Amino acid sequence: MVFGQVVVGPPGSGKTTYCNGMSQFLSLIGRKVAVINLDPANDSLPYECAVNIEDLVKLSDVMVEHSLGPNGGLVYCMDYLEKNIDWLEAKLEPLLKDHYLLFDFPGQVELFFLHSSAKNVILKLIKKLNLRLTAVHLIDAHLCSDPGKYISALILSLSTMLHLELPHINVLSKIDLIESYGKLAFNLDFYTDVQDLSYLQHHLDQDPRSAKYRKLTKELCDIIENFSLVSFSTLDIQVHQVCPGFSSVCQMFGILSWSFFFQDKESVGNLVKLIDKSNGYIFVGMEASAVEFSKIAVGPVNWDYYRYPFFSFSCV
């Protein structure tokens, strides 16, 4: 049984940065991680990927050969990957024994709430390779500063959850920059817990463009609240390389991965806890009754990232 994450979200939400930071974090806590780049438009990778879709199909070649734009080209690439799923399965086979998988998908949102090719790729991999995957949907936190954009993000998150049909965690990324585009109208809990959306109506009415669509906005908010599925975790996963002196000490002890530290270790650790619960990783190796498993599932995960001393290290 192999565990992993399907990382999705709009362009600029931080998916590649997330995969880079999460792979470093998981490596530091002892997991062997493989990152799979399935974004044919991502030609500047900060991480070393175990599998790269560009070995199968390149977006630039598709756009030239078929006279397609970037969006049409990405749809074509996902369709091509689905038809050549055997290629991806063969690439993943050597990683199944001992790796935790991170799938870095394109940022075209239509692929995850409208088109079926990306979903079919994921479901085929789950069925054929016995994967346990959680969808991690990243949303740029600064959207909370604009009520209209925040509601759009909620609709996108809900649509993606219903379309992918996977264990799903929505994440407000770049949480450290949340007020860089304007002050929030409410406390952060209002946005993460998706509380009474009627309170946003007053702020939307201040904008003549939004007031024109008041009835439509109310109906969309009602849909979100009636499903009652969307909530957000917060994340700041900036990864920094520590000073050369500390890296040298790490290498002396054979700790080659300890050359990084995280901006906000608590947000990363809490997110890993949620993901481990959602895909069942926390139950690996446990022998317990159904009742005990249920208690673990509904209770907090007692996984203490503070016991790793390198998370509190910083360079001056």
Side-chain angles (χ1 to χ4, degrees):
M1 187 178 298
V2 183
F3 296 88
Q5 304 174 30
V6 173
V7 184
V8 299
S13 59
K15 296 182 297 299
T16 299
T17 300
Y18 174 90
C19 288
N20 184 34
M22 184 58 69
S23 64
Q24 293 291 340
F25 186 95
L26 294 173
S27 296
L28 292 174
I29 63 175
R31 301 187 196 179
K32 199 171 182 179
V33 182
V35 185
I36 295 90
N37 176 45
L38 296 183
D39 183 359
N42 195 349
D43 55 2
S44 180
L45 298 172
Y47 53 78
E48 182 179 349
C49 56
V51 182
N52 193 341
I53 191 176
E54 287 201 339
D55 294 337
L56 175 69
V57 59
K58 293 185 178 181
L59 177 62
S60 57
D61 294 343
V62 168
M63 292 171 62
V64 171
E65 184 176 347
H66 299 282
S67 300
L68 294 172
N71 291 341
L74 282 171
V75 172
Y76 180 95
C77 289
M78 284 296 104
D79 288 342
Y80 190 82
L81 177 61
E82 181 186 358
K83 292 178 180 178
N84 293 273
I85 193 68
D86 292 343
W87 173 86
L88 182 55
E89 291 174 355
K91 291 287 187 178
L92 292 176
E93 284 284 355
L95 306 173
L96 299 182
K97 183 178 179 180
D98 55 358
H99 281 76
Y100 186 100
L101 306 180
L102 294 176
F103 292 89
D104 188 2
F105 271 89
Q108 188 179 1
V109 296
E110 297 96 320
L111 294 173
F112 303 101
F113 76 86
L114 184 61
H115 295 288
S116 60
S117 53
K119 175 184 177 180
N120 291 340
V121 167
I122 296 168
L123 295 181
K124 287 178 181 179
L125 292 178
I126 290 174
K127 183 176 181 181
K128 183 71 177 291
L129 304 179
N130 193 27
L131 305 184
R132 296 293 183 268
L133 302 177
T134 291
V136 179
H137 185 233
L138 302 180
I139 294 290
D140 198 322
H142 89 265
L143 297 180
C144 296
S145 62
D146 185 314
K149 292 179 180 178
Y150 174 66
I151 292 174
S152 298
L154 292 176
I155 288 292
L156 174 61
S157 299
L158 177 61
S159 301
T160 304
M161 293 176 76
L162 297 176
H163 184 72
L164 290 182
E165 297 180 308
L166 291 173
H168 192 105
I169 295 175
N170 296 302
V171 179
L172 291 177
S173 62
K174 308 176 188 177
I175 196 64
D176 57 313
L177 304 176
I178 191 169
E179 291 192 342
S180 61
Y181 290 83
K183 187 174 178 60
L184 297 181
F186 305 98
N187 292 332
L188 183 59
D189 288 349
F190 176 87
Y191 300 95
T192 57
D193 297 342
V194 190
Q195 299 173 5
D196 191 348
L197 297 180
S198 63
Y199 287 104
L200 288 176
Q201 195 67 57
H202 170 73
H203 294 273
L204 287 167
D205 290 343
Q206 307 305 308
D207 185 345
R209 296 170 298 177
S210 301
K212 181 179 179 181
Y213 302 103
R214 178 185 177 90
K215 186 176 180 181
L216 173 61
T217 302
K218 183 181 182 303
E219 294 297 328
L220 291 176
C221 290
D222 287 344
I223 291 173
I224 296 166
E225 292 182 332
N226 287 340
F227 274 95
S228 192
L229 290 175
V230 183
S231 62
F232 293 96
S233 298
T234 58
L235 179 68
D236 176 12
I237 198 168
Q238 298 179 59
V239 184
H240 304 275
Q241 191 161 13
V242 304
C243 61
F246 183 71
S247 297
S248 299
V249 173
C250 292
Q251 292 176 13
M252 287 173 58
F253 289 95
I255 311 172
L256 301 180
S257 298
W258 287 20
S259 56
F260 298 88
F261 73 95
F262 293 83
Q263 189 75 16
D264 184 356
K265 61 181 180 292
E266 185 174 356
S267 70
V268 183
N270 286 335
L271 181 58
V272 171
K273 292 179 185 181
L274 291 175
I275 295 170
D276 286 351
K277 283 183 66 175
S278 65
N279 61 23
Y281 187 90
I282 62 170
F283 301 112
V284 174
M286 286 187 179
E287 294 184 4
S289 65
V291 174
E292 291 172 324
F293 277 127
S294 299
K295 290 180 179 179
I296 295 171
V298 300
V301 179
N302 295 319
W303 182 79
D304 186 11
Y305 49 86
Y306 288 113
R307 70 176 180 264
Y308 298 97
F310 44 83
F311 289 141
S312 60
F313 178 88
S314 60
C315 268
V316 180

